Amino acid sequence: MKIVLLGAPGAGKGTQASRITAKYNTLHISTGDIFRANIKAGTEIGKLAKSYMDAGKLVPDEVTCEIVKDRLTWEDARDGYMLDGFPRNLFQAEELDKFADIDLCLNIDVDIDLLMDRICGRWMCTCGESYHVSMLGDSRVCPKCGKPLYQRADDNPETVKARLDTYFSQTAPLVDYYREQGKLVSVTSGAGSPDDVFVQIVKEFDKRDLR
Ligand code: AP5
């Protein structure tokens, strides 16, 4: 299956992507992770991306679309994938339709009031796990692997506000874009734990016989 994962910053895209990957063995491709890896490696793409990410803005479409287009040609993407954080505006969605045949858009819908706290309270581990500060007590080491946790450079209130503005002005319209294509599946991530949200996702996938 070829899935687009849509949702505001902090909606739980990464959290659910790791559960979906574990259950359905789907390849997870996150444009945010690709940009962060480039920043860490000091590449030209990383230098460019950092200035936009620090400002809570979208990295230019030409760069982003080219990266995704190339990534989808890799052997491991032949049988399907889950795109997390792409597309993020109408231009990217229309470009994606030119080089991929998306089966389904999974939209994680969350009350905006929850997002700032979720993101500013997020602690990450290099093993891929992320935690909310309320789950950690005084500890800042990963409960799963024991490595030190860290916070993302763009997880501060000022940048999060800009990221949310970018989401509502540019990305949220994609909900209608995929609804009109008959590909939209929405789940709600406000009322329950990550596991509760995943139960909703599995039910939706089962209805469509996706596995
Ligand atoms: P990206 O890395 O994609 O970040 P984002 O969309 O802002 O989303 P986040 O990773 O912050 O949140 P998430 O939805 O994954 O939530 P998570 O599961 O971690 O993009 C970063 C930047 O890169 C962009 O701003 C842009 O500059 C650039 N970029 C990326 N893609 C681009 C593109 N296509 N075009 C141009 N630029 C692009 O959860 C958040 C927290 O909440 C965690 O602590 C988690 O434990 C907790 N949580 C999750 N679910 C629940 C729940 N149900 N209940 C309670 N807590 C929960």
Side-chain angles (χ1 to χ4, degrees):
M1 55 186 168
K2 294 173 182 165
I3 302 174
V4 160
L5 195 48
L6 203 60
K13 299 183 295 297
T15 302
Q16 296 305 326
S18 60
R19 285 165 169 76
I20 293 168
T21 302
K23 181 169 170 71
Y24 296 97
N25 198 23
T26 310
L27 175 69
H28 175 208
I29 300 174
S30 154
T31 39
D33 286 351
I34 291 172
F35 289 135
R36 280 183 287 277
N38 274 276
I39 292 171
K40 202 171 169 196
T43 68
E44 288 307 313
I45 286 175
K47 284 176 199 155
L48 174 83
K50 185 169 168 34
S51 59
Y52 290 93
M53 291 168 83
D54 285 350
K57 294 182 176 164
L58 297 185
V59 179
D61 288 337
E62 312 77 62
V63 177
T64 310
C65 290
E66 206 45 51
I67 287 173
V68 175
K69 189 175 178 184
D70 173 72
R71 183 64 186 86
L72 297 190
T73 65
W74 294 18
E75 179 66 19
D76 61 355
R78 205 185 51 190
D79 295 333
Y81 42 79
M82 177 173 40
L83 290 172
D84 167 359
F86 183 93
R88 246 174 155 103
N89 59 24
L90 199 53
F91 179 85
Q92 293 182 7
E94 288 173 347
E95 284 302 298
L96 178 63
D97 281 344
K98 292 179 192 167
F99 57 79
D101 193 6
I102 296 302
D103 298 305
L104 181 140
C105 170
L106 175 62
N107 176 45
I108 305 181
D109 195 20
V110 187
D111 188 340
I112 185 175
D113 296 340
L114 294 172
L115 298 174
M116 184 66 80
D117 172 64
R118 274 201 192 171
I119 303 175
C120 294
R122 173 170 55 185
W123 285 79
M124 317 277 301
C125 181
T126 50
C127 76
E129 286 298 323
S130 89
Y131 305 93
H132 189 262
V133 65
S134 59
M135 302 157 71
L136 294 167
D138 292 337
S139 166
R140 294 293 177 269
V141 296
C142 178
K144 193 174 154 196
C145 74
K147 287 188 199 146
L149 299 172
Y150 66 94
Q151 286 193 291
R152 263 169 50 176
D154 58 348
D155 282 356
N156 60 78
E158 196 188 336
T159 310
V160 174
K161 190 178 172 314
R163 285 161 61 194
L164 289 171
D165 288 346
T166 301
Y167 170 78
F168 284 108
S169 62
Q170 299 195 50
T171 312
L174 296 185
V175 172
D176 283 340
Y177 180 83
Y178 285 107
R179 184 183 290 119
E180 281 159 18
Q181 291 192 2
K183 294 179 178 172
L184 185 75
V185 169
S186 273
V187 296
T188 310
S189 151
S193 70
D195 286 341
D196 294 333
V197 178
F198 188 57
V199 168
Q200 292 180 54
I201 291 173
V202 172
K203 272 190 195 152
E204 294 295 339
F205 281 14
D206 282 352
K207 272 192 225 164
R208 290 160 183 81
D209 207 21
L210 294 173
R211 47 193 87 244

